[in-house]
Amino acid sequence: MKALCWEGVNEVRVEQVPDPEIRNNGDVIVKVRASAACGSDLHLLGGYIPAMQAGDVLGHEFLGEIVEVGPGVRNRKVGDRVVVCSFAGCGSCWYCTHDLWSLCDNANTNSGITQALWGADVGACFGYSHALGGLAGSHAEYIRVPFADHGSFPVPEGLDDDLAAVFASDAGPTGWMGADLGGVKPGDVVAVWGAGAVGQVAARASVLLGAERVIVIDRIPERLRQAREHMGAETLDYTRTDVGAELRELSGGRGPDVCIEAVGMEAHSPGPEYAYDQIKQQLRLQSDRPTALREAIHACRKGGSVFCLGVFAGVVDKFPLGALMNKGLVFRGAQQHGQRYIPELLDRIARGELPTRHFATHPMTLDEGPKGYEMFKHKQDGCVRPVFQF
């Protein structure tokens, strides 16, 4: 079958790879119908995530049709049109039974890598390096889905648009989790750094959870426009204003109650700290650029909450621990626990409460995958997300 593979730093190619096969009782084989490139995939492209190997199939945000089921599958059948959570979870370990699905004890068969990196086993993500399980990704004609009874979700009748439903796989639950676990409640002022798909969903979730004001911070005009027009958020262009001062003005002088960082390890900034962080990252003296995270911690009101949604891989410099501690902030972060949220989000998308179709600015074929990633990486032609259709 054809698949879009990582071949080295900033190099992807469409290759012929072996068809997937059922390996365990709980597996299904899915014929992929739509697979979106995610902002976190750009960290793979840039070589910032460890344990990638040439030939690894990319992609973790997808929708498709089940064409084969393992003998132990009980709740899914051939012909089901399903959204699949980007993180696999076994459904039976302590973490899965406590709705902490991305921390599953059993999905990641390469757990020694993450023990060395982070001091603990974490779960497995499709197409996201051998550190996170080595599962083949979804930028392919077919994909093996383990623990399918727990990680695949039938798309509701009436939600016919694959380009809307596909974002319930990853961007939807990731963004919603940031608002939920960040503690957004009625009357709050919420600031979201990053107006990509994840940041926009975090903003919309905050609106639906009752926030009084939601402000999204970015520099890309088309993304800021989408956040205003589709998600009902206010926006700030960080290249044109003092973000901290603006947020204090918009929150009665205190700062936002909840700050959600949806940028991650390759954050940009117009200030000198960006050059400092970029040089250190390129020299591998630090693995991540925490510019947006620093700003979120400094901007948050005393006693507020900061949630880190953006992907970080290792260590950062100049982390404002003093501000975090002395301001009494609650700080959380996680990879998405999608099994907790996906059924609800599919229903919200179907009812029109959570717009997602507009993220898919560049639908294209898998053969156009290298071009799609080039456009996505360099923000060309208003590209918010390329989505590969089959």
Side-chain angles (χ1 to χ4, degrees), residues 44-194:
L44 299 174
L45 199 65
Y48 296 117
I49 302 295
M52 289 294 291
Q53 297 177 9
D56 285 346
V57 180
L58 295 169
H60 59 263
E61 186 162 30
F62 65 104
L63 171 152
E65 179 182 337
I66 295 176
V67 296
E68 187 178 354
V69 299
V73 176
R74 297 290 177 261
N75 301 323
R76 302 291 176 261
K77 64 183 184 302
V78 171
D80 284 351
R81 176 171 163 254
V82 293
V83 159
V84 178
C85 182
S86 62
F87 268 81
C90 72
S92 59
C93 72
W94 188 93
Y95 292 96
C96 289
T97 57
H98 285 76
D99 257 353
L100 301 171
W101 293 85
S102 67
L103 304 177
C104 176
D105 267 338
N106 298 316
N108 186 348
T109 57
N110 296 332
S111 58
I113 300 175
T114 56
Q115 285 177 355
L117 282 173
W118 304 320
D121 300 340
V122 298
C125 180
F126 292 99
Y128 215 79
S129 88
H130 295 267
L132 291 182
L135 296 174
S138 61
H139 295 345
E141 294 177 286
Y142 296 90
I143 184 171
R144 180 181 73 91
V145 175
F147 309 114
D149 278 336
H150 303 289
S152 63
F153 301 88
V155 180
E157 291 185 15
L159 183 49
D160 298 326
D161 188 352
D162 289 350
L163 295 179
V166 69
F167 294 103
S169 168
D170 185 83
T174 302
W176 196 278
M177 180 185 70
D180 178 35
L181 299 189
V184 174
K185 60 186 183 298
D188 277 351
V189 176
V190 179
V192 180
W193 277 257

Side-chain angles (χ1 to χ4, degrees), residues 153-234:
F153 301 88
V155 180
E157 291 185 15
L159 183 49
D160 298 326
D161 188 352
D162 289 350
L163 295 179
V166 69
F167 294 103
S169 168
D170 185 83
T174 302
W176 196 278
M177 180 185 70
D180 178 35
L181 299 189
V184 174
K185 60 186 183 298
D188 277 351
V189 176
V190 179
V192 180
W193 277 257
V198 170
Q200 288 189 45
V201 173
R204 183 62 180 168
S206 299
V207 170
L208 294 172
L209 291 171
E212 181 179 327
R213 303 189 84 156
V214 179
I215 304 105
V216 176
I217 301 120
D218 205 302
R219 65 187 171 93
I220 308 297
E222 54 271 16
R223 298 185 183 208
L224 292 170
R225 176 184 54 77
Q226 287 187 348
R228 291 191 300 270
E229 294 180 359
H230 295 280
M231 302 311 196
E234 303 171 66

Side-chain angles (χ1 to χ4, degrees), residues 33 78 122-123 136 178 193 203 205 222 249 251 299 311 332 335 363 382-383:
R33 292 173 50 145
V78 171
V122 298
W193 277 257
E222 54 271 16
E249 179 69 21
S251 59
V311 171
R332 295 188 71 174
Q335 296 276 13
C383 184

Side-chain angles (χ1 to χ4, degrees), residues 302-316:
K302 293 178 289 186
S305 170
V306 177
F307 199 96
C308 178
L309 283 181
V311 171
F312 288 84
V315 296
V316 300

